[in-house]
Amino acid sequence: MFSKEIVKTNFEKCSLKRSKFNNSNFKDTVFYECNLEKSDLSDCSGLKIV
């Protein structure tokens, strides 16, 4: 299993249904008013959801 790095990314008012972000390392990344229904965010670090 590998880790994904997501850096300086802004997700704004978008649909991310059923997305697979598992094992991701978030840095300076924001989810703002996004639909994350049934998304996999397990084992993530640095996650900020507004």
Side-chain angles (χ1 to χ4, degrees):
M1 189 180 310
F2 62 96
S3 177
K4 299 163 266 196
E5 191 164 320
I6 302 172
V7 180
K8 293 187 181 179
T9 306
N10 290 326
F11 297 96
E12 294 185 26
K13 299 183 180 184
C14 54
S15 177
L16 297 168
K17 285 183 178 181
R18 300 179 192 270
S19 296
K20 295 188 181 204
F21 290 107
N22 56 313
N23 297 310
S24 295
N25 178 21
F26 293 96
K27 182 177 180 183
D28 299 324
T29 297
V30 177
F31 292 87
Y32 176 77
E33 292 186 10
C34 295
N35 183 345
L36 294 165
E37 182 180 348
K38 296 185 180 180
S39 292
D40 185 356
L41 296 165
S42 59
D43 298 319
C44 290
S45 62
L47 188 60
K48 180 178 180 181
I49 301 173
V50 180

